[in-house]
Amino acid sequence: MTRQIGKKSGLAMSLALIIFSLLLSACGYTPQNATATSQARSNEAATISAVQTSVAYRNTSTTLPSLSRTTPPSANTTPPTTSSNSSTTAPAANATPTPIVGSTLPTPSAPGEKIDKEAELKLVKIAYDAILKNLFKEPDTTGLLKAALDELSRTSGVTAPTVNFSQKDNEANWVFFRDAYNKTLDAAIAKGFKYPKNQLGRRIVDAMAQSVSDEHTYFLDPDSYDNRLRVLQGENSSVGFGIATTTQDNKIYIVRVVPGSPAEKAGLREGDQLVRYDETTLTDANRQITRSAKENETHNFTIARPGLNDLQTITVTKKRYNVPTVETRLINGHIGYIAIREFFADVADKTNKAMTDLAKQGADSWIIDVRNNPGGVNVEQLTGRFVKAGEVMGYNLDRKGRETVKVSGDGVSGEFRGKPFNPRLPLVLLINDGSGSSSEIFALAVRDFNLGSIIGEKTAGALGHTAAFALGDGSAISVTVDEYESKSGARANGTGVSPDVQVSRSINDLINGRDPQMDVAVNQLEKTLAKK
């Protein structure tokens, strides 16, 4: 799916946030986030709450083979649950990842092969069971399986038989689907249909996940799943180029270059338009081509840059680099600016240290920036920098009821361990439609606890708690196991959190180095402080 930044006029940007650098879990982001039950790639599953140690990433892409015909966009996870020979759903780990934003299903990475019908079907069955048993709301099995057959038809080129699914019998529905699946594939194979191993099953799983229509239910390719596992273990590093992008009018623009990344070292800048990747002209439809790059491979980005008449080619090597949790500076000599780039495991401690350092430099107010932050873990610990531990923050809702989520004082060291930062200072929170999951939960906390003003644009609408189930081939399906409700009763899953003050930032603003949202935040704080 594609998000919009700004107004729906020419100012709108469709925020895909393609993190070529792996800044977003589905775009090549290689973090890990550790929890008591989540160990690195083991056969155990871990449970990570969206508002405890949560991974709350807005998924941005998956790597699936492309079709010559039109295909729908793709449909976010946790530690491994290796699949056995049975199709029983493996245990899973909970997290709050990123919903898929505008997947374009890239070209197959392997040649077509003879179809192993049972192996491909096994992937689909594991995913089907995972959704049936774990989705936070009652699943629509008819919709799931119809979406699966539609994708099979599109991919194979053979129209699947019409199936009259039962409204109540999920197992009978599976049998109906299996029979239609076999008939369709038999007909396609008879016509010479071949496809890369496992990728047919992945396409079908992706289609089922999309049919759920929830931001935290989606397919994860092996790279994205591996990246999520890294998030679950607290690793703040990525293998990638180090850029986040947005699209407008079928053009790709850089919205962020990660400090210390290969892209920054090579000279790419925010506002650059990415015209070509090697010899391929980049568009919204093929932007994921960069995902095929291997570590230590060198590639050429041809860019258009304001102030330059000619295109410029910059060579960047895909490498591992550290991703900062926060970036800080002092504005006007007294406003402490803290950009939280990712909700890594150390988000509370890094933010606390930033606040301490800025306060020593004379900060008398805060701008907390979670724009384009897809989420991550430990949002309840971040909230604990501003609110007393133990306060009710919200609730996780599922089919069985609801679980109370409380502010945590954990995750920090030093003077403010276990208690909020003191003194409490005026605060502005910056958000946009690239702010997902944990960013949104924090925004609701800012509102519910009257911590300050929220400025920017409506957020992604991805407030939930998800579990990832390994499909046995290195990929996984992420299933929304609950959705978040704030202390005040706000349910923004699927709708997003609206700012107190709506301010857009257009592509032209980006290209020309303007930031109207920041300007409004600074002006508001200056006026607030002037009244004191």
Side-chain angles (χ1 to χ4, degrees):
M1 56 178 270
T2 303
R3 300 233 167 255
Q4 301 253 323
I5 291 184
K7 301 176 181 178
K8 292 184 179 179
S9 64
L11 299 182
M13 290 191 289
S14 63
L15 181 62
L17 277 184
I18 304 303
I19 303 261
F20 298 131
S21 66
L22 313 186
L23 267 179
L24 303 181
S25 68
C27 274
Y29 173 50
T30 9
Q32 285 184 322
N33 149 43
T35 67
T37 52
S38 154
Q39 302 300 325
R41 304 155 192 134
S42 66
N43 290 334
E44 279 187 302
T47 298
I48 299 137
S49 162
V51 269
Q52 296 172 349
T53 41
S54 73
V55 180
Y57 287 109
R58 299 181 63 233
N59 198 14
T60 57
S61 62
T62 56
T63 304
L64 295 174
S66 64
L67 302 176
S68 56
R69 62 190 70 81
T70 301
T71 58
S74 266
N76 233 358
T77 186
T78 51
T81 62
T82 40
S83 131
S84 64
N85 289 331
S86 77
S87 59
T88 302
T89 302
N94 293 340
T96 356
T98 299
I100 277 228
V101 184
S103 162
T104 49
L105 309 181
T107 304
S109 56
E113 303 175 20
K114 182 179 178 181
I115 302 293
D116 184 336
K117 294 193 300 181
E118 290 304 314
E120 303 289 340
L121 186 63
K122 181 179 175 182
L123 301 183
V124 180
K125 184 62 163 73
I126 294 173
Y128 179 71
D129 286 345
I131 294 173
L132 289 191
K133 295 176 182 178
N134 299 283
L135 189 67
F136 74 100
K137 60 185 179 181
E138 198 64 41
D140 174 11
T141 57
T142 296
L144 288 174
L145 297 175
K146 282 184 176 179
L149 286 177
D150 286 346
E151 185 59 39
L152 176 61
S153 296
R154 280 192 291 268
T155 307
S156 68
V158 173
T159 302
T162 299
V163 178
N164 294 317
F165 290 108
S166 165
Q167 295 300 314
K168 297 181 179 180
D169 193 334
N170 296 334
E171 283 308 310
N173 281 345
W174 175 257
V175 173
F176 295 151
F177 167 79
R178 183 190 62 198
D179 291 346
Y181 165 92
N182 284 325
K183 289 178 182 177
T184 304
L185 268 188
D186 286 344
I189 291 169
K191 295 180 178 180
F193 176 65
K194 293 183 178 181
Y195 215 64
K197 182 180 179 181
N198 294 327
Q199 295 192 23
L200 175 61
R202 292 176 186 176
R203 291 195 75 96
I204 295 173
V205 170
D206 179 68
M208 288 198 304
Q210 289 184 69
S211 74
V212 173
S213 298
D214 185 85
E215 293 279 3
H216 285 100
T217 297
Y218 47 80
F219 168 75
L220 284 163
D221 63 31
D223 285 345
S224 300
Y225 187 36
D226 179 71
N227 293 338
R228 179 57 51 76
L229 300 182
R230 292 180 179 274
V231 173
L232 294 174
Q233 297 202 351
E235 183 180 320
N236 294 26
S237 73
S238 289
V239 173
F241 297 113
I243 55 176
T245 68
T246 188
T247 65
Q248 179 174 281
D249 299 330
N250 212 27
K251 295 177 181 178
I252 315 298
Y253 297 90
I254 297 177
V255 295
R256 182 180 176 232
V257 178
V258 180
S261 67
E264 184 193 49
K265 292 177 180 178
L268 288 174
R269 300 178 188 173
E270 180 180 306
D272 286 346
Q273 179 196 339
L274 299 180
V275 179
R276 285 194 299 273
Y277 173 75
D278 292 331
E279 300 304 315
T280 302
T281 299
L282 289 174
T283 66
D284 192 37
N286 68 8
R287 60 184 184 265
Q288 291 182 64
I289 189 173
T290 59
R291 294 264 300 144
S292 62
K294 303 293 190 297
E295 186 174 0
N296 296 318
E297 277 187 359
T298 297
H299 294 270
N300 293 321
F301 288 87
T302 301
I303 65 166
R305 176 175 292 169
L308 298 179
N309 294 325
D310 298 326
L311 296 180
Q312 183 178 358
T313 298
I314 295 178
T315 300
V316 188
T317 302
K318 186 174 182 178
K319 289 184 177 181
R320 180 171 294 279
Y321 61 94
N322 290 325
V323 181
T325 305
V326 301
E327 296 170 21
T328 69
R329 69 178 187 269
L330 204 62
I331 298 174
N332 293 351
H334 66 99
I335 298 175
Y337 171 78
I338 303 173
I340 302 174
R341 299 305 190 185
E342 304 280 342
F343 278 76
F344 288 119
D346 61 359
V347 64
D349 198 43
K350 292 294 186 183
T351 302
N352 190 72
K353 288 177 180 176
M355 294 170 76
T356 301
D357 290 345
L358 289 167
K360 289 178 180 178
Q361 297 174 47
D364 57 7
S365 54
W366 307 118
I367 293 177
I368 308 296
D369 188 351
V370 293
R371 291 176 297 177
N372 299 334
N373 182 331
V377 303
N378 294 344
V379 63
E380 83 294 349
Q381 292 182 4
L382 176 68
T383 306
R385 297 305 79 233
F386 305 92
V387 179
K388 184 176 67 175
E391 291 281 342
V392 173
M393 200 173 149
Y395 307 92
N396 290 325
L397 312 177
D398 62 17
R399 280 188 260 175
K400 298 178 181 178
R402 70 183 198 168
E403 175 188 30
T404 301
V405 177
K406 295 183 179 181
V407 177
S408 171
D410 296 338
V412 298
S413 56
E415 178 185 359
F416 297 106
R417 182 176 183 179
K419 57 185 179 182
F421 188 90
N422 188 49
R424 179 169 163 177
L425 301 176
L427 178 149
V428 168
L429 180 70
L430 293 178
I431 60 173
N432 68 3
D433 56 1
S435 305
S437 295
S438 288
S439 296
E440 299 176 277
I441 292 171
F442 181 62
L444 289 174
V446 168
R447 178 163 290 156
D448 285 349
F449 291 103
N450 297 313
L451 301 180
S453 178
I454 304 174
I455 292 174
E457 301 156 286
K458 182 181 279 192
T459 61
L463 292 90
H465 170 175
T466 192
F469 298 83
L471 301 182
D473 67 334
S475 66
I477 184 170
S478 183
V479 179
T480 312
V481 296
D482 62 43
E483 63 177 352
Y484 185 75
E485 176 183 283
S486 76
K487 172 185 176 181
S488 63
R491 294 191 189 182
N493 189 41
T495 58
V497 179
S498 295
D500 300 319
V501 181
Q502 174 75 31
V503 183
S504 298
R505 190 185 186 198
S506 69
I507 283 289
N508 285 334
D509 290 329
L510 178 72
I511 292 172
N512 291 288
R514 298 188 299 263
D515 192 342
Q517 295 164 338
M518 179 73 76
D519 293 342
V520 172
V522 171
N523 289 338
Q524 179 170 304
L525 285 174
E526 294 287 16
K527 291 178 180 178
T528 298
L529 294 168
K531 294 177 182 179
K532 289 192 172 184

